[in-house]
Amino acid sequence: MPLSPRAHNLCSYLGAVFVYLASCCLRGSCLGSTSAPWSVGHSNEKLALLLWSIHFGRRAWETRYVFNFSQTFVPLADSAQEFAYYWIFAGLLAWTVPSDSSSWNQLLRISGLFVWSLAEVSNAVCHRSLSKLKKSRDERSFPSGQPFLFARCTCPHYFFEILSWMGFNLATALPIVGCLFACVG
């Protein structure tokens, strides 16, 4: 049964958080962590979990309160493809994010956090601007004035999404799977 776009996005985003968290728990218990199996041991793992969860939590919140959808359902093949993309990468990233990042340059980590934070806020602003574009189900228009960066770039929300994942990877010691996630997406 096809899902509504809102249900599709909520399953996709909240599923990505759940899979990431579950994979962290499995990683801890499978790799013989001395702490409880549900805990995330190293600071880099905690940082990656935090950034991942904030990103997809924001996307779920936007799905619920910001986005307007014109379609009545999402085809099953599209849902399966998106769920596989987010959930498989969530599991792989949680399993492979570098746990010992003590040799990682702290200036790069701070720069990555700054870039990630700026990109997340900017992406949210773009999504808010986009939500005002639709007057009705069939009609699209641009709001009066120049929406945030849309005068300079056709799709600034995609630019900030990419920038967000670049910041994430920089802040979390360039996990290979994180870089692949950014490139494939």
Side-chain angles (χ1 to χ4, degrees):
M1 177 172 81
L3 296 172
S4 72
R6 194 171 313 280
H8 163 86
N9 283 3
L10 287 172
C11 287
S12 184
Y13 302 146
L14 295 177
V17 173
F18 174 78
V19 169
Y20 196 103
L21 187 56
S23 296
C24 284
C25 294
L26 284 173
R27 176 183 177 172
S29 61
C30 291
L31 297 180
S33 173
T34 56
S35 56
W38 57 84
S39 68
V40 179
H42 300 279
S43 62
N44 198 53
E45 294 170 311
K46 290 176 183 174
L47 177 61
L49 172 62
L50 179 68
L51 298 181
W52 183 271
S53 299
I54 290 171
H55 174 80
F56 285 105
R58 176 185 62 81
R59 295 297 299 268
W61 185 88
E62 288 174 339
T63 294
R64 177 68 180 94
Y65 297 105
V66 176
F67 295 156
N68 298 311
F69 299 100
S70 56
Q71 295 178 325
T72 55
F73 68 90
V74 176
L76 286 175
D78 291 354
S79 290
Q81 180 183 2
E82 186 169 317
F83 295 166
Y85 169 70
Y86 284 129
W87 298 354
I88 289 170
F89 270 110
L92 290 173
L93 182 60
W95 195 266
T96 60
V97 70
S99 56
D100 181 19
S101 64
S102 58
S103 63
W104 190 244
N105 184 317
Q106 290 304 308
L107 181 59
L108 290 176
R109 181 181 313 282
I110 292 167
S111 298
L113 282 170
F114 177 77
V115 167
W116 181 86
S117 300
L118 178 68
E120 286 291 309
V121 169
S122 298
N123 188 266
V125 170
C126 288
H127 286 160
R128 183 80 173 127
S129 294
L130 283 171
S131 73
K132 295 176 183 177
L133 294 179
K134 297 189 68 125
K135 289 185 175 182
S136 69
R137 184 176 203 87
D138 300 320
E139 184 182 349
R140 292 177 185 243
S141 69
F142 284 94
S144 59
Q146 298 290 341
F148 182 68
L149 289 182
F150 282 90
R152 301 212 183 275
C153 178
T154 304
C155 301
H157 54 298
Y158 291 129
F159 169 75
F160 289 120
E161 184 78 16
I162 293 166
L163 195 60
S164 173
W165 291 113
M166 290 171 66
F168 173 93
N169 288 317
L170 197 57
T172 58
L174 291 175
I176 293 170
V177 174
C179 294
L180 285 172
F181 176 77
C183 289
V184 171

